[in-house]
Each structure stands twice: as structure tokens, then as C-alpha cells.
């Protein structure tokens, strides 16, 4: 599991909505990402769920009072405001939003928000009538103008039994917004980046295919890192178990042929291609429409080459940027440099399939970056999201060079 939020402090404010029970999962997922969480609950929140639940999950005392009887720190609202790198109010009621919009600080949560200079995110949850209320809407507008962020509620079934807007945002979207608030930059703002990831499947008959062990983790890490840097990302993915950010446009494919068709179509609207997919080089010459039965005494498979997508795109890339990957088991650097020139890449990321911590399916990777001038940079073994950062730093530099040239 990636620890993308390691050493980050999140103050999680819980207010009085039935959606409070969903926050256990939010807390758990943030912790899995390495974040340290301090929970603050309003009085109303404690009618829906007890502080003990969050105390147990967060392994910290839950703050419920502005004036606790056993006071340990004199100005705890100030020290907590300084401690928090980000405040997430989830679920956020119309009441807390109204109080903060009006400058009221009469409990711990509203007071700590008043004292904080860190990003504050609201994930509202309430009935559809309340979401449409003009006082609530103007409070949100006011706060948004002041830089407070909202994770908009979704349409769906509500606690009242009605169906409409007001449901707490999908938990994945909440986590994604926290990551954006804590890690986001505009290093690749509005750059249109196309990423391919994962394996392809080349069918022999309706129930069998040829594939490879690619997990897609490297390509997904690149797509997410690019999105955190403000890029508009399209991710074309072969079959994987992974999920990605909701603001990444995901196109799922299975075969190398589909990947070629979709990548070439999408490339028209993008400035950068990062080809991390493990594309099958061969596919069965014939696809049997019916399942091949085992009575068949012998089965000789004839294969034909698939299109080299990266090469086709690299040859006509113009002044756009193309990044390829290379997987080599011998004479690695020499072969990678040949591939770089042959496929007209601006950068090639040489994968080391052997050695502890690198290779298919791992969360870490050790790669070597080689640019068109054959400059070679060996990266140490690191998490895939860190590798993604190195690759995107190079992409940002290449984009800058193109502008200057
Ligand atoms: N690639 C591609 N289309 C293919 C095969 C590979 O676009 N049909 C891309 C991969 O996504 C990767 C790069 O080409 O970015 C290099 O892939 P790799 O498997 O290392 O090399 P191949 O070109 O397949 O050559 P070989 O298998 O002979 O090493």
C-alpha cells in the first residue's frame, strides 16, 4: 500500500449527520496512506456515533470540548490549528458551514477552523431540500471565494428515503480531494497527458488468452501523480485490479489492437504520451470463435506480430513529447538506447525486471532514465509513486525546453 500521506497531519472534523458512520472508512483509508489523524467531534455528531469508535480507530483521544475539565494544553485550538496540515470536515452539516461562513466559533471545531491557515475541505451531507436552500448555497459560495474547498455531495438515496442530491461524496473522491489539498501543485497545469498501463490480453478462443504479469501499478502511479500536478489525464488501461482518481479519464481495453486504436485516436488531443503498458508483441494468427476442446490431439499456435504503437506514434509526434518504457534482460542500456532512437522517444524508462523490490507487481521499482541525448540517470530503488515523480519532473523540463526552443 502506498504511503503517499506519510508524516501528514489531518484534523478530521465530524458533525451531526447520519453519514458520520461512513467516516470510519475515510479515517482508515487516510491512515493506510500514512497520515496521522486527530478527530474532532461536535456535540451533534456524538448522537450518531460515539467518540470511542474514533478513539479506537485513530489511537488518539477524540476532541469534543472547547473547555475540557481535564485541560492539558492551554490553547489547544491554536496548537491543533498549527499541527494540522489540512482540516477535513466530513460529514459537514449546513450548520457548521453556516457557522464558519458567519465567523462563529462557539465549539472546538469551528474555533480551530478560525485559527487555521491550512486548507479546509468540507464534505457536505444533508437532505436534498437543505442542499438547495439559498442560505446554504450562498454560505458555500462565500466560503469558496475565500479559498475553502468543497467535495460536492452526490445524488442518490438519502436518509429521509427521498432520492436526490445531498449524499456524502464517494469515499474515493474524498481521499482524492485530501491528497490534492496536501500534495497538489500546478507543475503540469492543464497539460494534456495520455498514459497507457497494464497488460493486454490476446485471445485464442473465447475463454483463453495470452498475457503477461504486468499489474499496471507503474502507469497508474504516473497518471495519478500527473493529475496531482494539475494535468488533464487520460489513462488507457489493460485489465488490472486497480482503481484510480475519479477526475482521470479512464478508458479500458483488452487487446493490443484495441490499445493501438484507442491510443492513436486519443493522441490527437494530447501533448504528452507515456507508454507504460506492457503490450503483447504477438497475438494468435487465428481466433477460434468456439472453445477449443481438449479432444484436439495437438494444438499448434501460430502467432503474428502486433503493431508497435509507440513506434507508430513516435514517428509522427511532431513537437509533442513521447516517453517509452523498456524491459530488457541483457545488454540493458544498449538495447534501451536502440529502442529510444528507433521509436523516436524523448525519454525512455529502463525497467530492471530482476533484483529485490523491482519487477512485475511490486510497489517499488528501480529504473534508469535515458534521454534523446543518451544522458543516463540511474534511480535508486523507490516506491512507484516516487519513480512517477522523477519521470514527470523530466516531462515538465522537456515541456519547458520545447517552449524556449
Ligand atoms: N510497445 C508498444 N507496442 C508494442 C510493444 C511495445 O507500444 N507492440 C511499447 C511499450 O509500451 C514500451 C516500449 O514499446 O513503452 C518498449 O517495450 P518493450 O516490451 O521493452 O520492447 P519491444 O518494443 O516489445 O521489443 P522487445 O520485446 O524486442 O524487447
Amino acid at each position: 500500500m502506498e504511503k503517499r500521506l506519510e508524516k501528514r497531519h489531518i484534523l478530521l472534523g465530524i458533525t451531526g449527520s447520519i453519514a458520520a458512520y461512513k467516516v470510519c472508512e475515510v479515517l482508515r483509508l487516510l491512515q493506510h496512506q500514512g497520515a496521522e489523524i486527530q478527530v474532532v467531534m461536535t456535540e451533534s455528531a456524538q448522537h450518531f456515533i460515539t467518540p470511542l469508535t474514533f478513539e479506537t480507530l485513530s489511537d488518539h483521544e477524540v476532541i469534543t470540548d472547547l473547555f475540557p475539565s481535564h485541560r492539558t494544553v492551554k490553547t489547544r485550538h491554536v496548537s491543533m490549528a498549527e499541527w494540522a496540515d489540512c482540516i477535513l470536515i466530513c460529514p459537514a452539516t449546513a450548520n457548521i458551514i453556516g457557522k464558519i461562513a458567519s465567523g462563529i466559533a462557539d465549539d472546538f471545531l469551528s474555533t480551530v477552523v478560525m485559527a487555521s491557515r491550512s486548507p479546509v475541505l468540507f464534505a457536505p451531507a444533508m437532505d436534498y431540500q437543505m442542499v438547495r436552500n439559498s442560505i446554504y448555497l450562498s454560505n458555500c459560495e462565500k466560503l469558496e471565494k475565500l479559498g475553502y474547498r468543497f467535495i460536492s455531495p452526490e445524488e442518490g438515496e438519502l436518509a429521509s428515503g427521498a432520492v436526490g442530491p445531498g449524499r456524502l461524496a464517494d469515499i474515493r473522491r474524498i481521499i482524492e480531494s485530501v491528497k490534492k489539498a496536501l500534495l497538489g501543485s500546478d507543475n503540469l497545469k492543464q497539460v494534456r497527458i495520455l498514459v497507457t498501463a497494464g497488460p493486454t490480453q490476446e485471445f485464442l478462443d473465447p475463454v483463453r488468452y495470452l498475457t503477461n504479469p504486468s499489474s499496471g501499478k507503474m502507469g497508474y502511479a504516473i497518471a495519478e501523480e500527473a493529475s496531482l500536478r494539475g494535468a488533464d489525464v487520460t489513462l488507457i488501461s489493460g485489465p488490472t485490479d486497480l482503481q484510480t482518481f475519479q477526475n482521470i479519464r479512464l478508458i479500458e481495453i483488452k487487446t493490443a489492437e484495441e490499445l493501438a486504436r484507442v491510443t492513436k485516436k486519443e493522441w490527437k488531443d494530447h501533448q504528452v504520451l507515456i507508454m507504460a503498458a506492457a503490450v503483447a508483441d504477438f497475438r494468435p494468427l487465428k481466433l477460434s470463435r468456439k472453445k477449443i476442446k481438449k479432444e484436439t490431439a495437438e494444438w499448434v499456435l501460430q502467432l503474428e506480430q502486433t503493431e508497435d504503437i509507440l513506434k507508430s506514434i513516435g514517428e509522427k509526434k511532431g513537437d509533442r513529447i513521447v516517453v517509452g518504457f523498456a524491459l530488457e534482460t541483457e545488454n540493458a542500456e544498449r538495447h534501451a538506447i536502440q529502442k529510444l532512437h528507433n521509436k523516436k522517444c524523448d525519454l525512455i524508462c529502463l525497467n530492471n525486471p530482476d533484483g529485490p523490490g523491482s519487477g512485475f507487481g511490486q510497489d517499488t521499482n528501480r529504473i534508469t532514465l535515458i534521454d534523446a541525448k543518451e544522458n543516463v540517470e540511474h534511480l535508486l530503488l523507490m516506491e512507484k509513486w516516487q519513480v512517477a515523480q522523477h519521470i514527470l519532473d523530466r516531462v515538465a523540463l522537456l515541456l519547458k525546453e520545447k517552449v524556449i526552443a
Side-chain angles (χ1 to χ4, degrees), residues 67-201:
F67 305 107
S69 47
H70 61 291
R71 176 173 286 203
T72 46
V73 183
K74 271 193 249 162
T75 50
R76 191 151 65 154
H77 60 292
V78 177
S79 55
M80 281 316 303
E82 271 165 19
W83 174 88
D85 297 316
C86 153
I87 297 179
L88 168 66
I89 305 185
C90 174
T93 55
N95 182 53
I96 191 77
I97 291 166
K99 280 209 290 195
I100 293 169
S102 313
I104 295 171
D106 64 350
D107 60 11
F108 193 89
L109 185 57
S110 49
T111 309
V112 83
V113 169
M114 192 69 97
S116 167
R117 280 166 294 146
S118 299
V120 177
L121 289 92
F122 295 97
M126 62 198 75
D127 198 61
Y128 76 102
Q129 305 283 17
M130 298 170 80
V131 167
R132 290 177 183 156
N133 181 289
S134 51
I135 302 172
Y136 164 75
L137 289 172
S138 76
N139 285 336
C140 294
E141 202 182 308
K142 178 177 175 185
L143 287 171
E144 259 176 334
K145 276 197 192 130
L146 293 170
Y148 292 81
R149 304 171 195 210
F150 283 81
I151 310 166
S152 57
E154 295 177 0
E155 295 243 352
E157 204 182 316
L158 304 169
S160 63
V163 175
R167 266 173 80 92
L168 184 71
D170 181 89
I171 290 177
R172 270 173 53 211
R173 194 148 63 81
I174 296 173
I175 307 295
E176 192 178 317
S177 305
V178 172
K179 279 188 171 174
K180 275 241 153 89
L182 286 169
L183 311 168
S185 74
D186 55 8
N187 177 261
L188 290 170
K189 197 166 175 215
Q190 285 169 2
V191 178
R192 294 183 307 279
I193 301 190
L194 181 61
V195 183
T196 68
T200 62
Q201 295 176 341

Side-chain angles (χ1 to χ4, degrees), residues 179-253:
K179 279 188 171 174
K180 275 241 153 89
L182 286 169
L183 311 168
S185 74
D186 55 8
N187 177 261
L188 290 170
K189 197 166 175 215
Q190 285 169 2
V191 178
R192 294 183 307 279
I193 301 190
L194 181 61
V195 183
T196 68
T200 62
Q201 295 176 341
E202 309 304 325
F203 283 82
L204 318 172
D205 72 6
V207 294
R208 300 183 181 96
Y209 53 76
L210 301 176
T211 191
N212 60 64
S214 165
S215 64
K217 284 180 182 169
M218 193 61 245
Y220 276 63
I222 294 170
E224 290 181 5
E225 192 56 41
S227 168
L228 287 173
R229 292 176 183 215
D232 290 332
V233 184
T234 303
L235 173 62
I236 309 176
S237 173
T240 72
D241 295 332
L242 305 174
Q243 290 190 322
T244 193
F245 292 174
Q246 293 199 339
N247 71 344
I248 291 179
R249 214 171 124 242
L250 177 69
I251 305 175
E252 291 173 316
I253 55 90

Side-chain angles (χ1 to χ4, degrees), residues 304-372:
E304 64 176 354
Q305 270 195 16
T306 58
E307 176 179 353
D308 190 325
I309 307 166
L310 186 58
K311 190 167 192 296
S312 307
I313 285 184
E315 276 162 358
K316 291 183 233 145
K317 72 179 167 135
D319 61 358
R320 290 178 287 172
I321 289 164
V322 167
V323 178
F325 273 74
L327 185 73
E328 308 292 346
T329 50
E330 52 182 351
N331 297 325
E333 269 181 45
R334 189 162 59 79
H335 284 144
I337 289 171
Q338 274 167 7
K339 252 175 220 176
L340 168 97
H341 293 310
N342 182 27
K343 302 191 190 212
K344 307 267 184 304
C345 295
D346 297 278
L347 184 71
I348 201 145
C349 315
L350 168 60
N351 263 308
N352 175 356
D354 307 315
S358 55
F360 288 119
Q362 306 269 5
D363 288 330
T364 50
N365 206 1
R366 185 198 303 273
I367 65 162
T368 301
L369 297 176
I370 308 174
D371 67 17

